Amino acid sequence: MAHLIEVAFRGNRKEFFSWTGETAPPLKAGVIVEADRGEDFGRVHSTGELAEVRCNGCAHGCGTTPPPRAALRLATTADEQLDRALTVEHEDVRRKSMDRVKANHLVMKLTDVEWQWDRRKLTIYFTAERRVDFRGLVRDLAALFRTRIELKQIGVRDEAKRLSGVGRCGREYCSASWLPDLRPVNLGIAKDQKLSLNPQQISGACGRLMCCLRYEHEFYVLSRRKFPKEGKILTTSLGEEKVIACDIFNERITLRTADGDSRVIALADLRTELEGQDQPTDHAHDDAPSHTAEYPVDAAVHAMLDTVETEIAPLVALMTVVEVVPVVVTGVMTDVVTDVVTDVAAENADGEDAAGDATRRKRRRGRRGGRRLRAAEQRRQSEQDGSPMPPDGGDDADDGDDNEE
């Protein structure tokens, strides 16, 4: 029976492999695994049920499908000595690669290099603000190291994960020690927790927002659903009061009256007052899927919006009420009504045509258009009076005037 094992490589890179032995190898043991066009050296990171759980939940996992590669054998003493020798060479290789980058005048920062255990491939990790054309650099490095070169562009958070370090909390970076996935962190998460928006206080060593901001974010979102929204006007025993602040840890609310008097009241007491005033308590919706009880949002939409507080305003439909009075027409009156309706429709059509002509005439601008407009009016008056129409040619005359000018 094949066992599922997780193997860790240099730079906190981890992959899953299948082990065909009777028992899984011990943790931290060196193993030789299949790699791209060769073999690589790594150490066992997890086995058994833990490996299955991580395989289903980690970004580098393969889910329910078996891993595509297998672990070949346990590493010998000679294999471990060769791996230590490659580790010593990594810094020298990185310096030589940086010299070639400067020679090609490329705007990129080499982060780390990684030799494959059999020396058949050299992987170089770099960061850059834009895309880099490194085809010439690859040719130079291939001629220098006599092996297959692979360049990978990574982000600053992945760079911190590979290099590791100590954070401001005094412990190793979460991304390098235990955090399986680097989930995005935005400024809205800091706002929901009422944290300082100073980038120097909420940013990590990589220059991005710290990953630990997400750890307690769900607690803050669920706790705030019990409280009314800040800025809302409530009708209490003292009249109308505005919500100024909410203390989710002590479950207290700060209210301010129209006169400027402030008071701090417990959440349970506020609910009692609102129930005594026969006012719906917007804050008593622990199981509500949205931030407001007045206009609840569907659970799927709320999950998509994540941390953004949504306030849906009611739409007021403007409707024109027309009262229809039934009229019964019999006999000859039907024909009369039909003729009247026909005449009215014709008059309306003529009025619309006349209005359309007037509108089109108003849109015309310029001296040439004015002359054509006057000629059209003269022809219309001639048709109404029965007098002969003036000869055409106004347009030609206008064209001649324009040419003369």
Side-chain angles (χ1 to χ4, degrees):
M1 179 180 178
H3 299 274
L4 180 66
I5 62 174
E6 184 181 12
V7 181
F9 301 92
R10 174 181 169 84
N12 296 310
R13 180 173 62 89
K14 300 179 181 67
E15 295 183 15
F16 289 91
F17 298 88
S18 59
W19 178 264
T20 56
E22 295 181 359
T23 59
L27 297 178
K28 303 294 182 67
V31 291
I32 303 299
V33 300
E34 294 180 351
D36 186 14
R37 302 181 184 179
E39 299 176 351
D40 203 355
F41 176 87
R43 296 192 177 275
V44 179
H45 184 71
S46 64
T47 60
E49 297 181 358
L50 179 59
E52 294 178 358
V53 172
R54 289 179 58 84
C55 185
N56 294 329
C58 296
H60 60 275
C62 53
T64 57
T65 59
R69 297 174 182 174
L72 303 178
R73 57 183 174 84
L74 289 173
T76 61
T77 305
D79 298 337
E80 294 185 359
Q81 291 179 356
L82 179 57
D83 180 69
R84 286 193 293 267
L86 292 177
T87 304
V88 175
E89 295 181 6
H90 282 157
E91 184 62 24
D92 184 43
V93 172
R94 191 179 71 87
R95 293 183 182 276
K96 291 181 179 180
S97 302
M98 290 178 60
D99 295 338
R100 301 313 307 166
V101 170
K102 295 179 181 179
N104 286 269
H105 305 287
L106 298 177
V107 184
M108 55 189 295
K109 173 188 175 184
L110 290 186
T111 300
D112 194 13
V113 297
E114 182 180 357
W115 272 108
Q116 192 168 288
W117 179 75
D118 55 4
R119 288 180 177 268
R120 293 187 178 181
K121 185 178 71 171
L122 176 63
T123 305
I124 300 176
Y125 300 90
F126 71 95
T127 59
E129 296 182 357
R130 300 179 181 179
R131 297 189 61 181
V132 181
D133 185 7
F134 47 75
R135 290 174 292 182
L137 176 63
V138 171
R139 289 192 293 266
D140 294 347
L141 295 177
L144 178 62
F145 298 108
R146 300 292 181 179
T147 187
R148 191 162 61 95
I149 303 297
E150 181 179 358
L151 274 79
K152 287 187 177 181
Q153 183 174 358
I154 60 177
V156 291
R157 300 180 71 189
D158 295 319
E159 178 185 12
K161 179 179 180 180
R162 286 195 61 86
L163 300 180
S164 186
V166 179
R168 63 177 60 194
C169 60
R171 303 186 62 179
E172 187 181 4
Y173 296 158
C174 297
S175 58
S177 58
W178 65 272
L179 193 62
D181 301 327
L182 298 178
R183 300 179 60 186
V185 182
N186 52 36
L187 198 60
I189 295 178
K191 292 181 179 179
D192 292 342
Q193 303 180 40
K194 304 299 180 181
L195 297 176
S196 173
L197 301 183
N198 187 357
Q200 297 180 356
Q201 297 182 5
I202 59 178
S203 299
C206 61
R208 301 292 189 267
L209 296 179
M210 293 185 294
C211 300
C212 57
L213 295 179
R214 296 194 65 97
Y215 299 165
E216 300 178 355
H217 178 249
E218 184 178 359
F219 165 76
Y220 280 88
V221 173
L222 295 177
S223 299
R224 287 191 180 279
R225 293 178 182 175
K226 305 177 184 178
F227 296 83
K229 189 174 181 180
E230 296 180 358
K232 185 177 181 61
I233 304 298
L234 302 177
T235 303
T236 63
S237 59
L238 301 181
E240 293 186 350
E241 293 183 290
K242 183 177 181 181
V243 179
I244 303 300
C246 300
D247 186 358
I248 63 176
F249 297 102
N250 299 319
E251 293 191 350
R252 296 184 301 182
I253 303 174
T254 304
L255 303 176
R256 185 172 62 188
T257 62
D259 299 335
D261 299 334
S262 301
R263 64 165 177 158
V264 179
I265 184 174
L267 178 61
D269 298 339
L270 179 62
R271 290 181 177 179
T272 304
E273 289 190 13
L274 295 180
E275 291 174 358
Q277 297 293 329
D278 295 335
Q279 181 179 353
T281 57
D282 297 344
H283 47 280
H285 54 285
D286 298 348
D287 300 331
S290 63
H291 294 284
T292 58
E294 296 175 330
Y295 314 111
V297 183
D298 186 71
V301 179
H302 175 70
M304 179 181 65
L305 295 176
D306 196 8
T307 61
V308 180
E309 292 188 357
T310 309
E311 184 174 327
I312 304 177
L315 300 179
V316 180
L318 300 179
M319 302 178 61
T320 304
V321 180
V322 179
E323 184 178 358
V324 180
V325 180
V327 179
V328 180
V329 182
T330 58
V332 184
M333 292 298 296
T334 304
D335 299 334
V336 177
V337 173
T338 304
D339 295 338
V340 172
V341 172
T342 304
D343 295 339
V344 172
E347 292 178 1
N348 293 338
D350 295 338
E352 292 178 357
D353 294 340
D357 295 339
T359 303
R360 286 191 292 270
R361 287 196 301 270
K362 290 180 181 179
R363 291 179 180 176
R364 296 182 180 181
R365 296 291 185 270
R367 184 177 61 182
R368 184 175 180 180
R371 293 177 180 176
R372 292 180 178 178
L373 181 60
R374 288 193 297 272
E377 292 178 353
Q378 292 177 1
R379 287 194 295 269
R380 189 178 297 103
Q381 292 178 359
S382 301
E383 291 177 357
Q384 294 177 357
D385 300 341
S387 58
M389 293 184 298
D392 296 337
D395 295 347
D396 298 337
D398 292 343
D399 296 341
D401 294 343
D402 294 342
N403 294 333
E404 291 177 0
E405 293 178 359

